Each structure stands twice: as C-alpha cells, then as structure tokens.
Amino acid sequence: MTLSSESRSLAVVTGTSTGIGAATARELARHGFHVLAGVRRDRDAEAIRAPGIEPVILDVTNPEHIAALTARVRADPQERPVRALVNNAAIQANVPIEAFGIDRWREMFEVNLFGQVAVTQALLPDLIAGKGRVVNISSVGGKVAMAAYGPYAATKFALEAVSDSLRRELSPFGVHVVVVEPGAVHTEMLGRAIAGAEESLAAMTPEQRSRYGRLVHAVNEQAISSTKSGLPAQVAATVIAKAITARKPRTRYTVGREAALLTLVRFLPDRVMDRILAAALRSHYPSSETPPVTPRVPKVYNA
C-alpha cells in the first residue's frame, strides 16, 4: 500500500476519544488517510477533529450509529475506498468473576466483542471491495487471564478467536486481518478500570469483600506500578499504522516488552504459570488483613 493510495483512502477507527484510539487516528491522518474517527460524545468529536480526521458519533453497541457510519462510507463525496478498520473501542474492569454482576458481563461483551463484530460485519463489503485491512485491538489479556481480569480477558480471548477465523475467511479476497496486543500503555482506560473495581468492591457482600478485597487492591496497585514504566499511546499507534501500511503484515503485533513476554510464557504448564503470576502479584498486597480502599490513579496516567 503506497502513500499515494493512502491519500485517496478512508480509515475507520473506533474509540478515538482518548488513548490508543486518538493516537491512531492522528497517526493515520499523518500517513495520508482520511480518518473517520468514532467517538461517543460531541465534545470528544471537537477534541479529535483535525485535518484528515472527521469525527463520527459512534457507540459500537448502537445499530443506528453503525448504520449511519456505513451510509457515510458509501456516500463519500470523493468515492474513496475503505482501506482500514481499526476496532479499538473497549471497556475494562478488574473484578473477580464471582463479584462481577452478570449484567456487567453482558455490557462488557457488547462493547468489547459484539460491537466490534457488528461494525466489522457492516463494513466488510466495503473492505472486500477495497482490499482493505481489519485491525483488531486485543491485549495481553487476550493471551493470559490473570486474577481479577476474567471478564475483560474473556472478551479479548474471544476477539482473538474471531480474528483468527475472520483472517482465514477473508484471505481469499485479499483482506488481511491483524491483531495488535498492547501491554502497559498510558491511557485513561486504567483509571476507568480502577473506578469500576471500586464500584464493584462497594457492591460486594461482606463475605465477598473478605475474600477479594485484598486481591482487588493488589491487582490495581500492580496495574498502576506497571503503567509507570508503560509506553505512550503513540507507540501503539505507530505499530497499528505499520500493521495497516505494511505490504505483508504479520498476523499479530505486540506492543511493549511486557506483551511480548506474556505471549511467550503462556506456553508454560498451567501450574507454573499460576505460580509466576501469583509471585508477581504478591508484593502488591497490603500488609493489613483489612481490605483497603482501592487506590486512585495519579493524573499522569491519563492520556
């Protein structure tokens, strides 16, 4: 894919209000794409609007929004082909499986999986016509399910499976499907995940808090600690742009050393992996037996 073809092409990116999505929209615009940047609110639309970036209101769980996006693509005044779809929109909450309400399970799957599938289904005829590319943003959580990451990891494991099947289905038509697996990256998702954990902790029964309070604290402390050495969202955006513009893209790209390591250690025996993850979490547990208040995320982690 050459720069001249990019300058005549559309790229659709979901979840561009902040973090990796926003950085990806800007990076693709720098590569010459006209980016349709999905946001959920008008104020986010104005924040992302820039030369080469056209914000569109898009809640991936809203069929009317997806229909409007599809209509916009097919009514493009310059009749530009869709060369890329980046499925980035996602939510996260680090909560033990027992304490995560089934309605919240459904919401997480609606956003992180079903919404991605719905957008992909809607745009596939256009991507096939343009021999475009689908880039699904997964996570290290799509390879390794750590304690209290069960709901989020379940959606990402499922997205990885969908990506594998879709890649094999679309290969005969010249459409590449790529998975990008970021590790620790500076984004606002961490703050939202911890806020979700706080809400869940408050809603737990006393018995559940006695079981999981210290675990939730440790998981959130570990997340904050890992993010201190995490990468800026722009690094992930650069990898995503490479996945879109490379002549022969890999089927998977990791972002950061942590992601590369975790995708390798998953081949260890289960019990060995359990011990490694437990050891990594141990230093983040509070010394008191009383479940503590979940820590806040410093402002530095918002991007």
Side-chain angles (χ1 to χ4, degrees), residues 20 29-30 52 58 67 87 99 128 133 140 149 157 160 169 186 197 212 245 247 252 257 262 272 280 303:
I20 291 174
R30 281 193 288 271
L58 179 62
N87 285 312
I128 292 171
R133 203 158 287 185
V140 294
Y149 282 79
F157 269 66
E160 297 256 356
E169 292 167 2
H186 295 284
Y212 304 120
T245 58
R247 188 172 66 88
R252 280 174 171 78
R257 185 173 57 182
L262 280 176
V272 173

Side-chain angles (χ1 to χ4, degrees), residues 95-102 105 151 204-205 207-208 211-212:
V95 182
I97 289 169
E98 179 187 357
F100 199 61
I102 196 65
W105 276 89
M204 287 182 194
T205 66
E207 185 180 12
Q208 288 173 340
R211 278 198 287 267
Y212 304 120

Side-chain angles (χ1 to χ4, degrees), residues 118-150:
V119 173
T120 303
Q121 287 178 331
L123 294 180
L124 268 183
D126 308 279
L127 287 158
I128 292 171
K131 295 191 182 300
R133 203 158 287 185
V134 179
V135 179
N136 289 331
I137 309 305
S138 182
S139 164
V140 294
K143 295 294 187 185
V144 179
M146 297 176 283
Y149 282 79

